[in-house]
Amino acid sequence: MQKFDEMHDHASAVRAHYRNYGDWLARQPDHVMRARRDEAEVIFRRVGITFAVYGDKDEDGSGTERLIPFDLIPRVIPAAEWRSMKRGLIQRVTALNRFLHDIYHGQEILKAGLVPKEQVLGNAQFRPEMVGVDIPNQIYSSIAGIDIVRAPNAKGEGEYYVLEDNLRVPSGVSYMLENRKMMMRFFPELFSRNRIAPVAHYPDLLLETLQDSAPPNTAAPTVVVLTPGMYNSAYFEHAFLAQQMGVELVEGQDLFVKNDFVYMRTTRGPKQVDVIYRRLEDDFLDPEVFRPDSTLGCPGLMRAYKAGNVALCNAVGTGIADDKSIYPYVPQMIEFYLGEKPILNNVPTFMGRKAEDLKYILANMKDLVVKEVHGAGGYGMLVGPASTQAQVDEFRKIVQARPDNYIAQPTLSLSTCPTFVEQGIAPRHIDLRPFVLSGKTVQMVPGGLTRVALKEGSLVVNSSQGGGTKDTWVLES
């Protein structure tokens, strides 16, 4: 299988955009890099940058808290590549937001037959409660995390593909910001020698985006971050972003609804809330409408939302657009809503719901990545080439039982980036999650979160599966 190395070309020469960094790295003693790595781990633990892993249990039966490994060697993207990727990201997220507005209003794309009606209206992520509900700026996904991978094309050149759209509650941006702070702390000379685009202004852009979504005629919107609580896997990020934006971090019990307005309890009495950056799934938002046993949300929240008295970011019902069974239709959405050809390509995808595709999936499972359409975090999937024959046979039975619940894609050889591991510097597979903010305009900070599969040969970069992260440098020239 062909491979594409981000730092080195086929002749093992350092690529032009990595040259300054490569010269510097070659002069660094191994013991210095190891000391920096150990120091970074101590600092991350002290700050509390951990990730809860629900599958692992401590002796008392509770989930374990893991540090997400941080790699000292950055991923570098040249300016021209980023400009093209940025255009593609804006195009894609704009089309996805148009799709979400359409399916909850005119449903023109369904009438045109470009997306199967049953794929949308029969999907568990489609929320009938949102039909006809108007939201500010017609923006459903204010914060999107689009997973980008690079793999060699037929010419052996690296080509970017969109692997996944995360439009509900995408996480990871706090690690992007903390990784940059760590690199600037340890290696300030690199930032004086390289023109690296900044990312520290992300919280300002996020707050601006959230304020843009406030109900009309709200002079000074009150924004809060709604968290499920400290036991959530991404709680550090919830608290971090609230602190960085200078807004309150609240739980459902801190909120109440009166006369279709939302208020938070404060020591000075109730304060009206205009925008909720919610970090919990639809099902837990309002026990009056969704799960009646939810204690994480706020009773009456949907009444206030439908009345237009509070904004929820992201909007209720965005999950239908990041469902893996809808992903194959995004190129058609771009052409339908924008009249443009996609700038960023999808990974070729086979759908279990199609008889011919299913036949191909079952016959070639050993060579494919098979994913559950509602799966996330690296769970509910099979990486064929990395699985035993017994695992493949078992997964084949699961797919045959619920074919409409699965898609499959070729096993891409994700690009590699030099990574500092126990044995020294070695190539490891990576992806990239840029964060796209949609308010009155669409904006983003350069780069995003680079995730790295630390196990040799592994293609699974998810933190919950043992992956790590890197700083992402976009060069300004």
Side-chain angles (χ1 to χ4, degrees):
M1 187 179 285
Q2 285 184 317
K3 293 183 180 179
F4 182 88
D5 186 289
E6 297 285 341
M7 186 170 174
H8 301 97
D9 63 21
H10 295 302
S12 298
V14 175
R15 298 184 190 277
H17 60 283
Y18 259 103
R19 206 157 288 150
N20 276 348
Y21 178 78
D23 290 343
W24 175 90
L25 182 62
R27 297 194 301 271
Q28 302 311 301
D30 182 79
H31 71 273
V32 171
M33 294 293 283
R34 288 185 186 278
R36 287 284 185 261
R37 184 189 64 185
D38 294 344
E39 189 179 346
E41 182 172 332
V42 169
I43 293 170
F44 276 139
R45 286 198 185 281
R46 189 183 304 145
V47 175
I49 307 176
T50 56
F51 185 91
V53 183
Y54 300 127
D56 292 354
K57 299 293 182 182
D58 286 331
E59 290 180 4
D60 64 358
S62 62
T64 59
E65 290 280 336
R66 276 194 203 158
L67 190 74
I68 298 181
F70 165 65
D71 183 57
L72 297 173
I73 300 178
R75 187 248 187 94
V76 184
I77 300 173
E81 280 185 18
W82 172 250
R83 284 194 295 270
S84 176
M85 193 189 304
K86 181 179 178 181
R87 288 196 303 272
L89 290 164
I90 291 173
Q91 178 194 61
R92 190 175 184 96
V93 171
T94 299
L96 285 163
N97 270 311
R98 297 269 187 94
F99 169 72
L100 284 162
H101 177 76
D102 183 23
I103 62 168
Y104 289 116
H105 289 80
Q107 300 185 346
E108 298 302 325
I109 200 165
L110 304 186
K111 294 172 184 173
L114 293 179
V115 179
K117 196 171 182 179
E118 66 276 11
Q119 279 292 98
V120 173
L121 304 184
N123 195 299
Q125 297 299 321
F126 179 77
R127 301 295 181 181
E129 299 86 357
M130 289 298 293
V131 173
V133 176
D134 293 319
I135 61 174
N137 308 316
Q138 299 182 4
I139 298 297
Y140 285 73
S141 185
S142 302
I143 305 98
I146 309 298
D147 290 347
I148 304 282
V149 296
R150 183 186 246 185
N153 56 23
K155 298 178 182 178
E157 300 166 346
E159 184 172 342
Y160 289 111
Y161 298 89
V162 174
L163 185 66
E164 204 166 282
D165 303 296
N166 300 282
L167 305 181
R168 282 175 279 183
V169 282
S171 62
V173 75
S174 59
Y175 304 104
M176 174 191 81
L177 296 170
E178 288 295 317
N179 288 352
R180 176 60 55 86
K181 282 167 62 177
M182 192 68 72
M183 291 292 286
M184 294 180 78
R185 174 178 184 154
F186 285 155
F187 311 115
E189 70 275 18
L190 289 172
F191 291 85
S192 60
R193 293 180 51 183
N194 298 275
R195 297 191 61 191
I196 303 164
V199 297
H201 57 298
Y202 177 85
D204 297 330
L205 297 184
L206 176 59
L207 182 58
E208 180 185 320
T209 298
L210 295 170
Q211 290 171 334
D212 281 352
S213 71
N217 305 317
T218 308
T222 296
V223 177
V224 300
V225 177
L226 174 60
T227 177
M230 65 182 294
Y231 296 107
N232 183 265
S233 64
Y235 180 74
F236 165 79
E237 179 157 295
H238 308 165
F240 175 88
L241 290 175
Q243 185 269 331
Q244 291 289 305
M245 289 190 289
V247 305
E248 294 293 332
L249 178 70
V250 301
E251 297 182 30
Q253 62 191 3
D254 300 319
L255 304 175
F256 68 93
V257 174
K258 183 177 180 181
N259 298 327
D260 291 347
F261 285 87
V262 180
Y263 298 87
M264 65 173 160
R265 298 177 173 90
T266 76
T267 54
R268 297 183 179 180
K271 182 174 178 59
Q272 186 178 323
V273 173
D274 304 299
V275 182
I276 299 174
Y277 178 23
R278 52 96 170 206
R279 296 298 299 257
L280 66 161
E281 299 283 353
D282 292 352
D283 282 341
F284 302 99
L285 278 173
D286 185 346
E288 290 184 0
V289 178
F290 303 117
R291 285 183 53 159
D293 60 341
S294 173
T295 58
L296 302 176
C298 173
L301 183 57
M302 284 297 291
R303 279 189 281 110
Y305 184 46
K306 285 186 171 184
N309 295 328
V310 69
L312 291 173
C313 298
N314 288 331
V316 173
T318 56
I320 183 63
D322 72 10
D323 188 90
K324 292 179 180 66
S325 68
I326 297 298
Y327 161 91
Y329 300 101
V330 178
Q332 290 98 308
M333 293 178 200
I334 292 170
E335 296 198 33
F336 184 75
Y337 296 114
L338 306 180
E340 300 169 358
K341 294 290 183 183
I343 297 169
L344 291 168
N345 291 322
N346 272 18
V347 176
T349 303
F350 302 95
M351 291 179 274
R353 62 181 295 274
K354 292 184 174 181
E356 281 301 308
D357 283 10
L358 177 61
K359 185 177 177 181
Y360 182 85
I361 292 169
L362 296 176
N364 297 277
M365 195 168 279
K366 183 65 180 171
D367 301 317
L368 300 171
V369 176
V370 189
K371 302 177 182 178
E372 191 177 11
V373 295
H374 303 316
Y379 296 102
M381 65 184 286
L382 174 90
V383 180
S387 303
T388 65
Q389 189 59 50
Q391 289 170 326
V392 171
D393 292 341
E394 181 61 30
F395 211 84
R396 184 180 288 111
K397 293 176 186 175
I398 295 171
V399 172
Q400 284 176 313
R402 286 281 316 273
D404 60 328
N405 205 39
Y406 290 89
I407 63 164
Q409 296 168 329
T411 307
L412 295 182
S413 178
L414 305 188
S415 65
T416 62
C417 185
T419 301
F420 195 73
V421 295
E422 283 304 320
Q423 298 79 12
I425 296 175
R428 291 292 184 266
H429 294 290
I430 58 171
D431 78 351
L432 177 68
R433 178 175 290 182
F435 295 90
V436 185
L437 300 173
S438 302
K440 291 176 180 173
T441 59
V442 183
Q443 48 192 347
M444 65 197 81
V445 297
L449 180 68
T450 291
R451 301 184 298 177
V452 53
L454 294 174
K455 296 176 184 174
E456 185 176 1
S458 174
L459 297 171
V460 183
V461 300
N462 303 78
S463 304
S464 56
Q465 303 287 304
T469 64
K470 290 173 171 284
D471 192 14
T472 308
W473 293 2
V474 172
L475 301 182
E476 291 190 310
S477 62

